[in-house]
Amino acid sequence: MKLALFDGGRIGVVKDSEMVDVTSAVPDFSSGYAQNHWLRLCADFEELRESLEQAAATGPRLPIEQVTLDAPVLNPSKIVCAAANYDEHLAEMDPILTDAQRASAAWFLAFDVFLKAPSSIIGPGDDIELPDLPNAIHHECELVLVIGKTARNVDAADALDHVLGYTILIDVTVRGDGDRTRRKSYDTFCPVGPWLVTADEIGDPQQLDITLNVNGVSRQSVNTSTMKVPIDQMIAYASSVMTLHPGDLLTTGSPPGVGAINPGDRLHAHIEKIGAMQLGVVGPKG
Ligand code: MN
């Protein structure tokens, strides 16, 4: 199932190229005062699946172009990010490491997880707003998973049972010195979309092609089979540190091909079996 949020919090299922409004199938939905409805939906998806499917078969349909897609995540308690999860990305970072990063390369270039502020999330079709900084600001187009079942100290063998689904995340990043969390948490630095595809429709998440074009020119093109730490091990590791709650995001690290974005650029991100989103880039709004 392709689950979407649209038009300011309504819940949809994408069928063919249409959006079916299934908001009425979600218990106790009340716009504005019940923003946890999305987190409950993530937790209770299996119980609600049948009523969502019924609503998707009969609900009002709109052409996708006539709705405004929101990010298919709402109020996650955290965004957990993988660092250093593709060897070719590590190789391309080498020439642009700062002296301080090179001095601490043993940990800086090792796989680990860090946090990105949920307040940086924007929807597919929104603009990335670049802050007024002298540093280069890069795109990192990543496969991201959304947690469906609370995960604490799970084994890798059971880890994928805790995944509700997958979508696309662009981990916008200021290069240079400074803490990763700060460099990746500016407002608008986390486009997510276009919708969430439930795990049953994805099959093996380690066999997906990721592509990112900027102004029609290919920048990133990789298959998720080349991740260093696969998703099941990443969930197991992250859940040994912190409880993963329904609705939380775990993004799986940047493939190679990162590069600078500038005002006026158009980004086109695509992941196999998920779909695509396009984003603009604008300068500081002050
Ligand atoms: Mn990243």
Side-chain angles (χ1 to χ4, degrees):
M1 188 181 296
K2 293 182 174 66
L3 272 175
L5 288 166
F6 70 101
D7 289 353
R10 299 200 68 77
I11 294 168
V13 171
V14 178
K15 289 209 154 189
D16 307 316
S17 56
E18 293 183 309
M19 181 70 72
V20 192
D21 191 328
V22 299
T23 310
S24 62
V26 178
D28 302 325
F29 176 84
S30 162
S31 181
Y33 287 89
Q35 287 220 330
N36 280 337
H37 65 273
W38 174 257
L39 300 182
R40 284 289 301 273
L41 175 59
C42 291
D44 297 343
F45 179 76
E46 284 311 322
E47 293 88 84
L48 291 171
R49 181 192 279 271
E50 197 175 322
S51 52
L52 289 168
E53 282 173 348
Q54 282 172 6
T58 58
R61 287 179 171 231
L62 286 165
I64 297 256
E65 312 80 61
Q66 287 183 20
V67 306
T68 301
L69 286 167
D70 301 323
V73 295
L74 194 57
N75 298 338
S77 78
K78 54 195 166 295
I79 305 170
V80 183
C81 307
N85 205 18
Y86 288 87
D87 276 329
E88 283 183 65
H89 172 56
L90 292 180
E92 74 180 352
M93 287 296 292
D94 188 69
I96 62 168
L97 291 181
T98 67
D99 290 343
Q101 287 165 343
R102 203 173 299 283
S104 42
W107 73 262
F108 190 74
L109 298 181
F111 174 85
D112 212 330
V113 293
F114 62 94
L115 297 176
K116 185 175 173 91
S119 49
S120 62
I121 291 171
I122 57 172
D126 287 342
D127 288 335
I128 300 165
E129 185 184 326
L130 303 180
D132 187 11
L133 294 171
N135 310 53
I137 298 174
H138 280 190
H139 56 77
E140 300 187 348
C141 182
E142 307 185 9
L143 175 68
V144 59
L145 61 94
V146 178
I147 292 291
K149 288 185 192 148
T150 301
R152 174 69 184 147
N153 280 328
V154 299
D155 294 329
D158 304 321
L160 294 184
D161 296 342
H162 297 77
V163 177
L164 171 62
Y166 299 85
T167 183
I168 308 170
L169 183 150
I170 300 180
D171 179 16
V172 182
T173 302
V174 175
R175 294 294 175 212
D177 284 331
D179 188 88
R180 275 193 178 106
T181 291
R182 191 270 300 165
R183 291 188 290 108
K184 292 166 175 280
S185 289
Y186 289 84
D187 285 358
T188 76
F189 269 27
C190 191
V192 182
W195 38 70
L196 184 156
V197 182
T198 53
D200 57 296
E201 279 195 22
I202 294 291
D204 183 355
Q206 305 295 160
Q207 292 293 335
L208 301 174
D209 284 333
I210 299 176
T211 59
L212 178 86
N213 295 347
V214 178
N215 304 328
V217 177
S218 173
R219 291 267 186 98
Q220 297 189 276
S221 179
V222 76
N223 188 277
T224 55
S225 61
T226 57
M227 276 180 206
K228 290 172 67 178
V229 177
I231 292 166
D232 54 357
Q233 290 181 34
M234 180 182 161
I235 294 169
Y237 176 62
S239 82
S240 76
V241 179
M242 56 193 123
T243 302
L244 305 176
H245 295 291
D248 280 357
L249 280 68
L250 272 80
T251 188
T252 55
S254 183
V258 301
I261 54 174
N262 293 291
D265 284 348
R266 293 287 302 171
L267 277 60
H268 182 275
H270 178 267
I271 298 183
E272 191 180 359
K273 295 189 181 177
I274 295 175
M277 64 174 170
Q278 296 195 61
L279 300 132
V281 180
V282 299
K285 286 187 178 160

